[in-house]
Amino acid sequence: MAFQRALVLLLLLLLPLPALAGTGPVVELGRDQGGTQLSLAPDIFRDASGRSTVETLAADAFRPMAASDLRAFYTRDVIWLRFTFHNPAPTAQKRFLEISPPRLEDIRLYETDAAGRWSFQQAGMVVPVLQRLVPSRLSVFPLQLLPGETRTVYVRIATRNAIMFNFRLWEPDGFHIAERRIDFVNGVQFGALVLFMLYALIFYASTRDPSFLLFGTMVVFCALNDLSLFQYSYSYFWPEAHEWNLRSPGILGSPTIIVSTWLLLRLLRLKEYLPRAALLLHVWAGVMVLLMPVILVGDYLFWVNVQQALGLALLVLQVVVTVYAARRGVQDAWLVVLSFLAMWLLGLARMAQVFGLLPPHLAVDYSQYWGILLSGMILVGVMTEKMRKLSAGRAEAEREAMEARIKAEQDVLLHTRELRMEKEMAEATSRAKSAFLAQLSHELRTPLHSILGYSGLMLNDGQNANDRRRIGAIQQSGRHLLALIDELLDYARLEANRLVLEPRPVYLQALLEGVLHEARSLAHAESLSLSLRLGADLPMVVLLDPVRLRQVLINLISNACRHSDGRHVLLSAEAGERDAQGHLQLRFAVQDDGRGIAPEDRDRIFHPFEQGLSQREGMGLGLAIARQFVQLMQGEIFCEDAPGGGTLFHFTLQVEEALEAQPLLQGELTVRRYKGLLRRVLVVDDILDNRALMADVLATLGFEVALAEGGHAALALLAQSQAPFDLVITDQLMPDMSGWEFLRCARAAGHAMPFILLSGAAPVLPDGWQPHLVFAAILMKPAEPVRLAEALASVLRLEWEEAASPGAAAVSLARPPAETLAALREAAEQGRISDIEDWVEQTLQGQPECQAFALAIRQAVRRLDLPGIVALVET
């Protein structure tokens, strides 16, 4: 009951209902009229055509104005008013005739002079403030009557706004005083709205609660709507924009109702408590949002009617929903009702005036905005209470969060301590396991090398066929066991993070051909065919670890040969894109046409000690080591179904291209001497080390060698040489001219000896090349010595003498002292492989001048070529 009494008292305070004032048909000036201003009730005439003029209006066309004449809502009619003034005083009287509200468009006051000629004054929005006779935002016409004079004036009003006219007659000084008072009051209202807006922005920045932002936005649109209704800003700062001044109240009035609806939804949390009502309010507000641009460009009279009707319905809907929510017991709903009540009542009364349901003289022009301020103050209280609850809730949440964080930190600390202990135990276990595997592998390799060494010596001692078969079986099983032990060693090094990549320049095509050549014996044993496919843009020399890449590829090809049950294995390599640092992407793939691998096994086979269902040998470390090698090289290996059936293993590496810094030859060189006359060979290569190596190799084989660093130098040497050359070996890519251009120039100069091309890249015929200009043989860098010897024998038709020991290739190398060689020979004769490896390491570190000899021994021991080591020592 107390709340209802408060609402009734608020309604009585905000909506006083003064009676419609009237003064009769003739207004007398100079007598006591109860103050400095007088409300008038003129005669009225409605011109529906809008074409009537003051001259054509008959006296009997006007009739006394009644309250019902101003309840016509919006109209296109032109309203004519007739005022009659009489001055009974003995002195002249000056008055201001005010026609309000200030947002009327075109107002004209017609009067006659002493000669009976008509003249008019003009005001309204079509006349800028500074161009009016009385410079005021209100439409004011000055009148002056002589003593005893009676004058009739006609006022024509053409407007597209609502018919809500007020007519007052002012004493000039009283008008100016009242105008300043009204401006002050409006300034106080606008200042209060600005304070509300600042309040909302400050608390929104503090809380990030959208309710404060919506409240501030609503206040801003209230202020803009006030400015447009009272014609403050536009009449002074944008006086030429007549059409905008007309439409702005209709455009700026809608956002106030729309934003207040959204604020209501958040304050009452209607989505949670009344979802259907929330949806209805959202849809209604959305329709009004869509209507705003239509009011800006469409037929104003029609669309503003629609907008006013929708706005009135939305206000009613707000009231109904809020009261219903309050009766349902929604938290703080009655406070929201109280805060919005003044705004609702005054807004509804104002719209009722616009629709002509209430007379325009009710005091709601200014009480409406005082009501908005009152609602704003109550809303500030509601929002402050909301913020207090929010702060209290946030403090409680922060306290709970702090307690939870402290507990979580304690749990994390305890868990971290446990994990650290587990990690240390796991690392210790891993180190112990890796150390055990490394020690075990080392202990196993030592006797195994002796077994392989002695069995190799026995094979060279001329055993009978049965014994040789038995010893061969021992060697085959021993080598298989040695491969398993090497896998264990690699795995132990990877687990202990002791494996370091050793990248160096590599002839990529030669490396891949070597991998295929190494795997051919296994493929032949499994009745498979091997093939190699290289991309056209594959680089010639790249920087990578050839040992690890070879091990990965050999492992993949071996698995494909042993376990795929297919008939063909394809090794492919192609170049991809470059990254921002200029690194080239290389993609390697090994594909077979066998039975394939089940999807559930594709990840498992990369784990240590895991094997596929078809695998029956090995320890399951090959693919695990291959994956870790690829990851060390910044890549990732994948297993997929191959197109057309089978399995596809592929991985991608990022590499850098390199210069030709790799030796021209790799592998062992079995020293041979050819029979017959001395042959002269010219070697053409732009790299000094390559020329020096070729000279040593060819000289060891018995050739007389000449060297040239490029095509031009070689042509000069061919022309100046007293004795002809029997053969020319040339590089393909050289700075001054290519090998193909060198061949063409040599043939043009009349040199008919055969040419061999030694190239690091796939040979590419130049455009327009003549078919008869061909190389006798083409070898890829680094060429195997056996292939070089075969090519020389084929081109020059040579017969080789009996081959010497493989170790004889080191005859020209610097050798260690005799006592160390004796120890090396004893270790080789007894098959002590570990002692030989230790001897190599000591020689590399203590005698750098004998590095080449030590490396030759290392290559021989890796091949388990103990007789070759003995031959190297004896030579």
Short mmCIF file of all heavy atoms in Angstrom, two decimals, residues 654-692:
data_model
loop_
_atom_site.label_atom_id
_atom_site.label_comp_id
_atom_site.label_asym_id
_atom_site.label_seq_id
_atom_site.Cartn_x
_atom_site.Cartn_y
_atom_site.Cartn_z
N GLN A 654 64.53 -30.08 -44.35
CA GLN A 654 64.94 -28.74 -44.76
C GLN A 654 66.46 -28.73 -44.89
O GLN A 654 67.16 -28.97 -43.90
CB GLN A 654 64.49 -27.68 -43.75
CG GLN A 654 62.99 -27.56 -43.58
CD GLN A 654 62.34 -26.87 -44.77
OE1 GLN A 654 63.01 -26.18 -45.53
NE2 GLN A 654 61.05 -27.06 -44.92
N VAL A 655 66.98 -28.46 -46.09
CA VAL A 655 68.42 -28.51 -46.33
C VAL A 655 68.88 -27.22 -46.98
O VAL A 655 68.07 -26.42 -47.48
CB VAL A 655 68.79 -29.72 -47.22
CG1 VAL A 655 68.37 -31.03 -46.57
CG2 VAL A 655 68.16 -29.59 -48.60
N GLU A 656 70.17 -27.03 -46.98
CA GLU A 656 70.79 -25.92 -47.69
C GLU A 656 71.56 -26.46 -48.88
O GLU A 656 72.19 -27.53 -48.80
CB GLU A 656 71.74 -25.15 -46.76
CG GLU A 656 71.10 -24.55 -45.54
CD GLU A 656 72.12 -23.82 -44.69
OE1 GLU A 656 73.08 -23.26 -45.27
OE2 GLU A 656 71.98 -23.81 -43.46
N GLU A 657 71.51 -25.73 -49.97
CA GLU A 657 72.34 -26.11 -51.11
C GLU A 657 73.79 -25.76 -50.80
O GLU A 657 74.09 -24.80 -50.09
CB GLU A 657 71.87 -25.39 -52.37
CG GLU A 657 70.51 -25.86 -52.84
CD GLU A 657 70.18 -25.37 -54.23
OE1 GLU A 657 70.99 -25.61 -55.14
OE2 GLU A 657 69.13 -24.72 -54.39
N ALA A 658 74.73 -26.55 -51.33
CA ALA A 658 76.15 -26.37 -51.04
C ALA A 658 76.95 -26.37 -52.33
O ALA A 658 76.45 -26.74 -53.41
CB ALA A 658 76.63 -27.47 -50.11
N LEU A 659 78.20 -25.92 -52.20
CA LEU A 659 79.12 -25.95 -53.33
C LEU A 659 79.70 -27.35 -53.47
O LEU A 659 79.59 -28.19 -52.58
CB LEU A 659 80.24 -24.93 -53.14
CG LEU A 659 79.77 -23.48 -53.00
CD1 LEU A 659 80.95 -22.58 -52.67
CD2 LEU A 659 79.07 -23.02 -54.26
N GLU A 660 80.36 -27.59 -54.57
CA GLU A 660 80.98 -28.89 -54.79
C GLU A 660 82.22 -29.01 -53.92
O GLU A 660 83.30 -28.55 -54.28
CB GLU A 660 81.36 -29.08 -56.25
CG GLU A 660 80.17 -29.27 -57.17
CD GLU A 660 80.62 -29.69 -58.55
OE1 GLU A 660 80.96 -30.86 -58.73
OE2 GLU A 660 80.64 -28.84 -59.44
N ALA A 661 82.05 -29.58 -52.74
CA ALA A 661 83.17 -29.75 -51.83
C ALA A 661 83.37 -31.21 -51.48
O ALA A 661 84.16 -31.54 -50.63
CB ALA A 661 82.97 -28.93 -50.57
N GLN A 662 82.65 -32.09 -52.13
CA GLN A 662 82.72 -33.53 -51.88
C GLN A 662 83.76 -34.13 -52.82
O GLN A 662 83.93 -33.70 -53.95
CB GLN A 662 81.34 -34.14 -52.18
CG GLN A 662 81.26 -35.62 -51.95
CD GLN A 662 80.86 -35.92 -50.53
OE1 GLN A 662 80.95 -35.05 -49.70
NE2 GLN A 662 80.47 -37.15 -50.26
N PRO A 663 84.51 -35.12 -52.36
CA PRO A 663 85.45 -35.77 -53.27
C PRO A 663 84.74 -36.36 -54.48
O PRO A 663 83.59 -36.75 -54.41
CB PRO A 663 86.08 -36.87 -52.39
CG PRO A 663 85.85 -36.41 -50.98
CD PRO A 663 84.57 -35.65 -51.01
N LEU A 664 85.51 -36.43 -55.55
CA LEU A 664 84.92 -36.97 -56.77
C LEU A 664 84.67 -38.47 -56.67
O LEU A 664 83.80 -39.00 -57.35
CB LEU A 664 85.86 -36.71 -57.95
CG LEU A 664 85.86 -35.28 -58.49
CD1 LEU A 664 87.00 -35.10 -59.45
CD2 LEU A 664 84.56 -34.96 -59.15
N LEU A 665 85.48 -39.15 -55.86
CA LEU A 665 85.38 -40.59 -55.76
C LEU A 665 85.07 -40.97 -54.32
O LEU A 665 85.50 -40.30 -53.38
CB LEU A 665 86.69 -41.27 -56.18
CG LEU A 665 87.19 -40.93 -57.60
CD1 LEU A 665 88.53 -41.58 -57.81
CD2 LEU A 665 86.21 -41.37 -58.64
N GLN A 666 84.35 -42.06 -54.14
CA GLN A 666 84.14 -42.59 -52.78
C GLN A 666 84.14 -44.10 -52.87
O GLN A 666 83.75 -44.69 -53.87
CB GLN A 666 82.84 -42.09 -52.18
CG GLN A 666 81.59 -42.67 -52.79
CD GLN A 666 80.36 -42.21 -52.02
OE1 GLN A 666 80.43 -41.27 -51.26
NE2 GLN A 666 79.26 -42.89 -52.23
N GLY A 667 84.56 -44.73 -51.76
CA GLY A 667 84.65 -46.18 -51.75
C GLY A 667 86.11 -46.62 -51.85
O GLY A 667 87.03 -45.81 -51.98
N GLU A 668 86.30 -47.89 -51.79
CA GLU A 668 87.67 -48.43 -51.82
C GLU A 668 88.19 -48.42 -53.26
O GLU A 668 87.44 -48.53 -54.23
CB GLU A 668 87.67 -49.84 -51.27
CG GLU A 668 86.79 -50.80 -52.06
CD GLU A 668 86.88 -52.20 -51.54
OE1 GLU A 668 87.98 -52.80 -51.59
OE2 GLU A 668 85.86 -52.69 -51.06
N LEU A 669 89.51 -48.28 -53.37
CA LEU A 669 90.16 -48.29 -54.67
C LEU A 669 91.08 -49.50 -54.73
O LEU A 669 92.07 -49.58 -54.00
CB LEU A 669 90.97 -47.00 -54.89
CG LEU A 669 91.80 -46.97 -56.17
CD1 LEU A 669 90.89 -47.02 -57.39
CD2 LEU A 669 92.69 -45.76 -56.22
N THR A 670 90.73 -50.43 -55.54
CA THR A 670 91.59 -51.60 -55.76
C THR A 670 92.62 -51.22 -56.82
O THR A 670 92.27 -50.91 -57.96
CB THR A 670 90.76 -52.80 -56.24
OG1 THR A 670 89.80 -53.09 -55.24
CG2 THR A 670 91.65 -54.00 -56.45
N VAL A 671 93.89 -51.19 -56.43
CA VAL A 671 94.95 -50.71 -57.33
C VAL A 671 95.16 -51.72 -58.46
O VAL A 671 95.35 -52.90 -58.23
CB VAL A 671 96.26 -50.50 -56.54
CG1 VAL A 671 97.37 -50.05 -57.48
CG2 VAL A 671 96.04 -49.49 -55.43
N ARG A 672 95.08 -51.18 -59.68
CA ARG A 672 95.31 -52.00 -60.87
C ARG A 672 96.25 -51.24 -61.79
O ARG A 672 96.34 -50.01 -61.74
CB ARG A 672 94.00 -52.28 -61.61
CG ARG A 672 92.99 -53.06 -60.76
CD ARG A 672 91.76 -53.36 -61.58
NE ARG A 672 90.78 -54.12 -60.80
CZ ARG A 672 89.66 -54.63 -61.30
NH1 ARG A 672 89.37 -54.44 -62.57
NH2 ARG A 672 88.84 -55.32 -60.53
N ARG A 673 96.92 -51.99 -62.64
CA ARG A 673 97.76 -51.40 -63.69
C ARG A 673 97.30 -51.97 -65.01
O ARG A 673 97.04 -53.17 -65.13
CB ARG A 673 99.23 -51.76 -63.46
CG ARG A 673 99.75 -51.42 -62.08
CD ARG A 673 99.95 -49.96 -61.87
NE ARG A 673 100.95 -49.42 -62.75
CZ ARG A 673 101.41 -48.17 -62.71
NH1 ARG A 673 100.92 -47.35 -61.79
NH2 ARG A 673 102.32 -47.74 -63.54
N TYR A 674 97.15 -51.11 -65.98
CA TYR A 674 96.71 -51.62 -67.28
C TYR A 674 97.93 -52.07 -68.09
O TYR A 674 99.06 -51.63 -67.87
CB TYR A 674 95.93 -50.54 -68.04
CG TYR A 674 96.69 -49.26 -68.29
CD1 TYR A 674 97.52 -49.12 -69.40
CD2 TYR A 674 96.58 -48.19 -67.40
CE1 TYR A 674 98.23 -47.95 -69.61
CE2 TYR A 674 97.27 -47.03 -67.60
CZ TYR A 674 98.10 -46.90 -68.72
OH TYR A 674 98.79 -45.74 -68.93
N LYS A 675 97.68 -52.92 -69.05
CA LYS A 675 98.73 -53.44 -69.91
C LYS A 675 98.87 -52.54 -71.13
O LYS A 675 97.91 -51.91 -71.56
CB LYS A 675 98.39 -54.86 -70.37
CG LYS A 675 98.26 -55.87 -69.24
CD LYS A 675 97.86 -57.24 -69.78
CE LYS A 675 97.69 -58.24 -68.63
NZ LYS A 675 97.27 -59.58 -69.16
N GLY A 676 100.05 -52.46 -71.67
CA GLY A 676 100.23 -51.72 -72.91
C GLY A 676 100.94 -50.39 -72.71
O GLY A 676 101.57 -50.12 -71.67
N LEU A 677 100.86 -49.55 -73.74
CA LEU A 677 101.56 -48.28 -73.76
C LEU A 677 100.97 -47.29 -72.76
O LEU A 677 99.82 -47.42 -72.33
CB LEU A 677 101.51 -47.69 -75.18
CG LEU A 677 102.12 -48.55 -76.29
CD1 LEU A 677 101.87 -47.88 -77.65
CD2 LEU A 677 103.61 -48.76 -76.07
N LEU A 678 101.79 -46.28 -72.44
CA LEU A 678 101.35 -45.22 -71.52
C LEU A 678 100.27 -44.35 -72.17
O LEU A 678 100.40 -43.94 -73.32
CB LEU A 678 102.55 -44.35 -71.13
CG LEU A 678 102.24 -43.20 -70.17
CD1 LEU A 678 101.86 -43.73 -68.81
CD2 LEU A 678 103.45 -42.27 -70.06
N ARG A 679 99.20 -44.09 -71.43
CA ARG A 679 98.12 -43.23 -71.91
C ARG A 679 98.15 -41.89 -71.16
O ARG A 679 98.43 -41.85 -69.95
CB ARG A 679 96.74 -43.88 -71.65
CG ARG A 679 96.23 -44.70 -72.82
CD ARG A 679 96.85 -46.07 -72.88
NE ARG A 679 96.13 -46.97 -73.77
CZ ARG A 679 96.46 -48.21 -73.99
NH1 ARG A 679 97.53 -48.74 -73.39
NH2 ARG A 679 95.75 -48.96 -74.80
N ARG A 680 97.81 -40.85 -71.90
CA ARG A 680 97.78 -39.50 -71.32
C ARG A 680 96.31 -39.07 -71.16
O ARG A 680 95.51 -39.20 -72.10
CB ARG A 680 98.52 -38.49 -72.20
CG ARG A 680 99.99 -38.84 -72.43
CD ARG A 680 100.67 -37.74 -73.23
NE ARG A 680 100.81 -36.53 -72.42
CZ ARG A 680 100.62 -35.29 -72.88
NH1 ARG A 680 100.26 -35.12 -74.14
NH2 ARG A 680 100.78 -34.25 -72.08
N VAL A 681 95.99 -38.53 -69.99
CA VAL A 681 94.61 -38.13 -69.66
C VAL A 681 94.62 -36.68 -69.20
O VAL A 681 95.47 -36.28 -68.39
CB VAL A 681 94.01 -39.03 -68.55
CG1 VAL A 681 92.60 -38.56 -68.19
CG2 VAL A 681 93.99 -40.49 -69.01
N LEU A 682 93.69 -35.90 -69.74
CA LEU A 682 93.52 -34.49 -69.33
C LEU A 682 92.27 -34.42 -68.43
O LEU A 682 91.18 -34.82 -68.84
CB LEU A 682 93.32 -33.59 -70.55
CG LEU A 682 92.96 -32.12 -70.25
CD1 LEU A 682 94.05 -31.44 -69.44
CD2 LEU A 682 92.71 -31.37 -71.57
N VAL A 683 92.42 -33.89 -67.21
CA VAL A 683 91.31 -33.72 -66.25
C VAL A 683 90.96 -32.24 -66.19
O VAL A 683 91.82 -31.39 -65.92
CB VAL A 683 91.69 -34.24 -64.85
CG1 VAL A 683 90.56 -33.98 -63.85
CG2 VAL A 683 92.02 -35.73 -64.92
N VAL A 684 89.67 -31.91 -66.42
CA VAL A 684 89.20 -30.52 -66.43
C VAL A 684 88.13 -30.37 -65.33
O VAL A 684 87.06 -30.98 -65.41
CB VAL A 684 88.60 -30.13 -67.81
CG1 VAL A 684 88.25 -28.64 -67.82
CG2 VAL A 684 89.59 -30.48 -68.92
N ASP A 685 88.44 -29.57 -64.31
CA ASP A 685 87.50 -29.33 -63.19
C ASP A 685 87.88 -28.00 -62.54
O ASP A 685 89.07 -27.70 -62.38
CB ASP A 685 87.57 -30.47 -62.17
CG ASP A 685 86.33 -30.49 -61.26
OD1 ASP A 685 86.13 -29.50 -60.52
OD2 ASP A 685 85.59 -31.48 -61.29
N ASP A 686 86.88 -27.22 -62.16
CA ASP A 686 87.15 -25.90 -61.58
C ASP A 686 87.49 -25.95 -60.09
O ASP A 686 87.87 -24.93 -59.50
CB ASP A 686 85.94 -24.97 -61.78
CG ASP A 686 84.70 -25.53 -61.14
OD1 ASP A 686 84.31 -26.67 -61.49
OD2 ASP A 686 84.10 -24.83 -60.30
N ILE A 687 87.39 -27.13 -59.44
CA ILE A 687 87.70 -27.26 -58.02
C ILE A 687 89.06 -27.94 -57.88
O ILE A 687 89.29 -29.04 -58.40
CB ILE A 687 86.60 -28.05 -57.30
CG1 ILE A 687 85.27 -27.30 -57.41
CG2 ILE A 687 86.96 -28.29 -55.84
CD1 ILE A 687 84.11 -28.03 -56.79
N LEU A 688 89.98 -27.29 -57.12
CA LEU A 688 91.35 -27.76 -57.01
C LEU A 688 91.42 -29.14 -56.37
O LEU A 688 92.17 -30.02 -56.82
CB LEU A 688 92.16 -26.75 -56.19
CG LEU A 688 93.62 -27.13 -55.88
CD1 LEU A 688 94.41 -27.29 -57.18
CD2 LEU A 688 94.28 -26.09 -54.97
N ASP A 689 90.65 -29.36 -55.28
CA ASP A 689 90.70 -30.64 -54.58
C ASP A 689 90.27 -31.78 -55.49
O ASP A 689 90.85 -32.88 -55.44
CB ASP A 689 89.81 -30.60 -53.34
CG ASP A 689 90.36 -29.67 -52.27
OD1 ASP A 689 91.55 -29.33 -52.35
OD2 ASP A 689 89.59 -29.25 -51.38
N ASN A 690 89.27 -31.53 -56.33
CA ASN A 690 88.83 -32.57 -57.25
C ASN A 690 89.92 -32.91 -58.27
O ASN A 690 90.15 -34.09 -58.60
CB ASN A 690 87.56 -32.13 -57.96
CG ASN A 690 86.35 -32.14 -57.05
OD1 ASN A 690 86.39 -32.74 -55.98
ND2 ASN A 690 85.28 -31.48 -57.47
N ARG A 691 90.58 -31.87 -58.75
CA ARG A 691 91.66 -32.12 -59.73
C ARG A 691 92.79 -32.92 -59.08
O ARG A 691 93.34 -33.87 -59.68
CB ARG A 691 92.20 -30.81 -60.28
CG ARG A 691 91.17 -30.01 -61.07
CD ARG A 691 91.83 -28.95 -61.95
NE ARG A 691 92.62 -27.99 -61.20
CZ ARG A 691 92.14 -26.86 -60.66
NH1 ARG A 691 90.83 -26.59 -60.82
NH2 ARG A 691 92.91 -26.04 -60.00
N ALA A 692 93.16 -32.56 -57.84
CA ALA A 692 94.26 -33.25 -57.16
C ALA A 692 93.89 -34.71 -56.90
O ALA A 692 94.73 -35.61 -57.07
CB ALA A 692 94.56 -32.53 -55.84
#
